[in-house]
Amino acid sequence: MGGFVSKAVNENMKNNQEFMVEMNRIMLERQIQMQNQMRERMVALQIARAREMLNWFGTFYAVASVGMLTGFRHTRKPGVLVPLLPLTFIFGYQVDMAYGNKLLRIKHEAENIIKFESELLDLPMNLPTLSTIDMARQVQHDRLLMHSAEPPLYY
């Protein structure tokens, strides 16, 4: 009879482990999906920001261009048109960012960096470990105790 109970307990433990593995897999998939949705929202926000900036800069560019052309027409001095050159480059950049394929080119460049220049992505002093995090917490706690204006509540 002890073998029967032991067998039932082992089977129950095995089923429980399978259930836990499945729950962990589902939780991980949900976390990945959530992080991807947050990334998509941030990219959408970046595109929307670029388009909004383009509206403002496009208006400024149009007004400034008309003003410079009017100034050139009255004075006939080509120096009045000089600011038009850098403004044209900036305007082109904004148009490319808002409606062109600039973000796609940035994405491809990021993929190339990840594939071929991954050493640029390394953190200084590598990834933090649990021991380095605990050590930093202890140092911060010790500093707080040493520089505190009031004595600690516990001894």
Side-chain angles (χ1 to χ4, degrees), residues 46-64:
Q46 183 181 9
I47 294 169
R49 183 178 181 275
R51 290 181 179 175
E52 179 64 21
M53 184 71 168
L54 178 65
N55 290 338
W56 284 91
F57 188 76
T59 303
F60 168 74
Y61 180 75
V63 170

Side-chain angles (χ1 to χ4, degrees), residues 42-99:
M42 294 303 290
V43 170
L45 191 63
Q46 183 181 9
I47 294 169
R49 183 178 181 275
R51 290 181 179 175
E52 179 64 21
M53 184 71 168
L54 178 65
N55 290 338
W56 284 91
F57 188 76
T59 303
F60 168 74
Y61 180 75
V63 170
S65 297
V66 168
M68 285 182 256
L69 290 172
T70 303
F72 176 72
R73 187 181 255 172
H74 290 309
T75 62
R76 297 285 181 208
K77 293 181 181 177
V80 175
L81 296 176
V82 169
L84 198 56
L85 182 65
L87 288 177
T88 302
F89 279 102
I90 295 170
F91 183 70
Y93 180 88
Q94 290 291 333
V95 168
D96 191 24
M97 182 69 135
Y99 293 103

Side-chain angles (χ1 to χ4, degrees), residues 106-116:
I106 290 171
K107 181 182 137 202
H108 289 306
E109 183 62 27
E111 289 171 355
N112 285 336
I113 290 170
I114 290 170
K115 286 180 186 175
F116 304 115

Side-chain angles (χ1 to χ4, degrees), residues 125 128-143:
M125 299 176 60
T129 63
L130 186 57
S131 63
T132 60
I133 292 171
D134 286 341
M135 191 168 53
R137 284 182 54 234
Q138 186 63 42
V139 166
Q140 182 180 9
H141 182 263
D142 292 345
R143 281 188 195 150

